[in-house]
């Protein structure tokens, strides 16, 4: 990548009080824009991409039926701020509808039912089979939260804005938690969009599921056009804000983008940091489009 583009991406992060890593790939031409793209990162909820991708690869191989219904008791659900995690009554949903919840609103409880059904080893084996050896799941969502509670200590959630407490969180260390690199996450998205992960009709359904995310304040904020489709998955931990997804233009251009950031501030709400993800992604995609001759 030429240095002016890298400098602009770095400036987008710096202006928002962030450090960041990025990989953007033209899905059809193979060209890339990168910044620290091979740096290990803790993936947080971005790892739900790996989980849901594995579900559809297993379905395509005939090893499971994604329409299988699952009875979900009201008790003992993974914690989280959305979806089944905050609902009070028993429910019954199919595996693929649980996948939709895990993507659409990053539902931790829905994701953990899928983790339990598939197993960490199956998800990791799928990533390895795709040539993504650095994309590894260590724990499910409940396990991730339990680690944060243990590390935060007796002060509980209030500690997560204390810089000293945040420094103790093992979930921020990519060597001790769910992890990948920006390059490998874009390779996963490329495989999904090129039908390499699974064939149609499973591939179309998987892409449809990945297109239902409710959040538009990060990656999608860089592409505020009615005719540009952004399919993505966010990930958030104290000081960390991420998103990975695919940007599709009406002229057929398709770009896989993964952006991982860390803020100097421990504040929970940092709109400038969220917007910087979209800005950095737009700079990268514009550079890729300039190479292919798009507007």
């Amino acid at each position: 990548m030429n240095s002016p583009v890298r400098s602009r991406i770095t400036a987008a992060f710096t202006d928002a009080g962030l450090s960041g890593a990025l990989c953007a790939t033209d899905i059809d031409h193979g060209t890339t824009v990168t910044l620290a793209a091979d740096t290990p990162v803790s993936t947080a909820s971005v790892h739900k991409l790996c989980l849901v991708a594995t579900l559809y690869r297993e379905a395509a191989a005939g090893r499971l039926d994604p329409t299988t219904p699952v009875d979900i008791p009201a008790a003992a659900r993974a914690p989280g701020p959305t979806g089944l995690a905050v609902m009070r009554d028993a429910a019954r949903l199919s595996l693929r509808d649980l996948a939709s919840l895990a993507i659409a609103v990053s539902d931790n409880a829905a994701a953990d039912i899928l983790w339990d059904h598939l197993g960490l080893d199956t998800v990791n084996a799928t990533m390895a089979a795709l040539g993504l050896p650095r994309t590894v799941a260590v724990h499910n969502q409940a396990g991730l939260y339990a680690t944060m509670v243990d590390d935060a200590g007796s002060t509980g959630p209030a500690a997560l804005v204390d810089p000293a407490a945040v420094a103790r969180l093992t979930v921020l260390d990519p060597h001790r938690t769910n992890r990948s690199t920006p390059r490998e996450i874009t390779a996963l998205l490329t495989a999904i969009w090129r039908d390499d992960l699974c064939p149609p009709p499973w591939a179309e359904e998987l892409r449809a599921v990945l297109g239902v995310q409710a959040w538009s304040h990060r990656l999608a904020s860089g592409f505020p056009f009615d005719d540009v489709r952004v399919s993505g998955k966010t990930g958030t931990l104290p000081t960390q804000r991420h998103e990975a997804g695919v940007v599709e233009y009406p002229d057929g251009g398709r770009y896989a983008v993964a952006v991982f950031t860390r803020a100097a501030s421990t504040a929970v709400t940092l709109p400038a940091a969220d917007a910087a993800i979209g800005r950095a992604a737009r700079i990268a995609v514009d550079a890729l489009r300039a190479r292919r001759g798009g507007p």
Side-chain angles (χ1 to χ4, degrees):
M1 178 180 68
N2 65 43
S3 56
V5 174
R6 180 180 286 113
S7 296
R8 291 178 62 207
I9 293 170
T10 300
F13 292 144
T14 302
D15 290 349
L18 304 174
S19 58
L22 174 149
C23 185
T25 301
D26 185 320
I27 290 173
D28 299 298
H29 291 192
T31 52
T32 61
V33 168
T34 63
L35 178 69
D38 296 308
T39 301
V41 292
S42 59
T43 46
S45 283
V46 170
H47 222 97
K48 290 168 185 166
L49 288 173
C50 309
L51 174 66
V52 172
T54 298
L55 176 73
Y56 276 88
R57 189 172 173 93
E58 292 292 289
R63 290 187 284 267
L64 63 77
D65 179 357
T67 68
T68 300
V70 179
D71 290 316
I72 306 159
R77 294 177 184 173
T82 62
L84 290 169
V86 296
M87 293 180 184
R88 293 175 290 276
D89 299 320
R92 193 175 201 226
L93 292 169
S94 68
L95 292 172
R96 65 181 178 181
D97 282 346
L98 290 165
S100 292
L101 280 174
I103 297 298
V105 292
S106 203
D107 185 342
N108 289 335
D112 271 8
I113 295 167
L114 296 178
W115 280 117
D116 290 344
H117 195 89
L118 293 167
L120 293 174
D121 289 346
T122 300
V123 176
N124 289 336
T126 299
M127 296 304 106
L130 293 170
L132 309 175
R134 303 176 74 187
T135 302
V136 178
V138 175
H139 35 226
N140 62 10
Q141 299 304 122
L144 186 150
Y145 270 75
T147 299
M148 290 178 65
V149 170
D150 289 345
D151 292 343
S154 59
T155 53
L160 300 181
V161 295
D162 175 3
V166 169
R168 296 195 301 266
L169 297 180
T170 57
V171 295
L172 304 182
D173 180 353
H175 301 291
R176 295 190 284 175
T177 190
N178 298 349
R179 58 187 176 267
S180 186
T181 67
R183 193 184 303 275
E184 288 203 357
I185 291 296
T186 57
L188 172 60
L189 290 165
T190 296
I192 293 170
W193 257 256
R194 290 179 63 90
D195 295 347
D196 294 333
L197 180 128
C198 58
W202 304 107
E204 287 104 335
E205 184 171 315
L206 173 55
R207 289 191 289 270
V209 168
L210 297 181
V212 298
Q213 180 178 234
W215 320 133
S216 60
H217 61 310
R218 291 184 182 168
L219 187 63
S221 70
F223 305 90
F225 312 109
D226 289 342
D227 57 355
V228 174
R229 177 178 174 82
V230 179
S231 305
K233 181 68 201 75
T234 57
T236 308
L237 288 169
T239 72
Q240 295 190 351
R241 292 162 179 82
H242 316 317
E243 187 161 358
V246 171
V247 181
E248 299 176 89
Y249 277 74
D251 62 6
R254 308 184 296 174
Y255 311 91
V257 187
V259 186
F260 293 82
T261 73
R262 187 159 187 177
S265 171
T266 60
V268 173
T269 303
L270 287 173
D274 295 323
I277 291 173
R279 182 180 173 195
R282 176 67 180 277
I283 293 168
V285 168
D286 281 352
L288 290 173
R289 287 178 64 72
R291 294 181 193 178
R292 65 151 54 193

